[in-house]
Amino acid sequence: MARAVAMVLVFTGHLGASWFPQLEPLLTAIYTFHMPLFFLLSGLFFKPTVNLLNLIIKRAKTLLIPYYLFSVFALVSPIVKLLRPSLYESAGKSADSNPLSAIIAIVFAQGNAGLWLLWSLFVAIPCLWLTVRVVRSNKLVLAAVLLVYLIIDFFLKGSSAAAMLPFQLGKIFEATAYVGFGYLIAQACDIRKWDRLDFSHKLGAFLVFTVAFLILEHFSAAQPVATGAMLATLALFTTFFGMAMAIAW
């Protein structure tokens, strides 16, 4: 159900402020947590006891095959633009951007091209597997390492070179961190107990997470009150409360 909520948030986030300017505050709020939510939910089911090669093969089947199958649809537009630019322009669309660059970005999963989330998950899973093995499954050490990953990602976000690395390697630290936090949550508590809670308790948790998220989102995104490390810390808490709100929903 949480994944379904995340999908709806992604669809809503892609409406675009240029088409629906009145939704800009909502879209800004959604973008603070909707993609990390997918990573965290995947981490809830992460099993580091599985053989690494078997894990990679399994994830390639469930993530990379769908990526390239559905990328066929994403490739139609730049291929038409490359081969028949006049046809593209006759449809009322601009042919200014470089179609070859768009094709390369989709094929090699660069930046936000195509269904980049699938490649990000694929590279994050083995990275987390190796991280868990290195820290010998020590949860406190793992949490510290994951925070370091987020700090590294914070400094990489402003780099255009990192954004254009192939196969989502530019997002590997962010993806690994949130998948890892999902794994830690699953290890720390029995998430199945959530379904057995009374409706009033679920509603109370949802309201608490929602209020906390709205306050943090206001101060970190809508009306930033800090810069640098403080702003990054606020953004991190905003992301976590946004994910908790979506899951509690």
Side-chain angles (χ1 to χ4, degrees), residues 48-49 129-143 183-184 187:
T49 55
W129 188 95
L130 292 170
T131 303
V132 172
R133 291 302 178 96
V134 169
V135 303
R136 298 183 178 181
S137 299
N138 186 306
K139 296 180 180 60
L140 288 177
V141 176
L142 178 59
Y183 166 69
L184 284 176
Q187 296 301 301

Side-chain angles (χ1 to χ4, degrees), residues 17-91:
S18 59
W19 285 73
F20 301 94
Q22 65 274 20
L23 294 182
E24 186 171 0
L26 174 64
L27 303 184
T28 300
I30 288 174
Y31 268 83
T32 60
F33 71 91
H34 70 328
M35 299 316 294
L37 176 60
F38 274 107
F39 295 128
L40 185 132
L41 292 174
S42 295
L44 295 176
F45 307 98
F46 174 74
K47 292 181 174 59
T49 55
V50 178
N51 176 272
L52 180 58
L53 181 59
N54 292 337
L55 184 63
I56 290 174
I57 293 172
K58 179 181 178 180
R59 290 298 182 174
K61 291 178 180 178
T62 58
L63 295 172
L64 298 191
I65 291 177
Y67 176 88
Y68 286 106
L69 283 177
F70 285 97
S71 289
V72 171
F73 298 101
L75 287 168
V76 170
S77 179
I79 289 175
V80 170
K81 187 188 294 187
L82 180 67
L83 300 179
R84 296 288 299 276
S86 59
L87 180 63
Y88 197 83
E89 291 174 347
S90 66

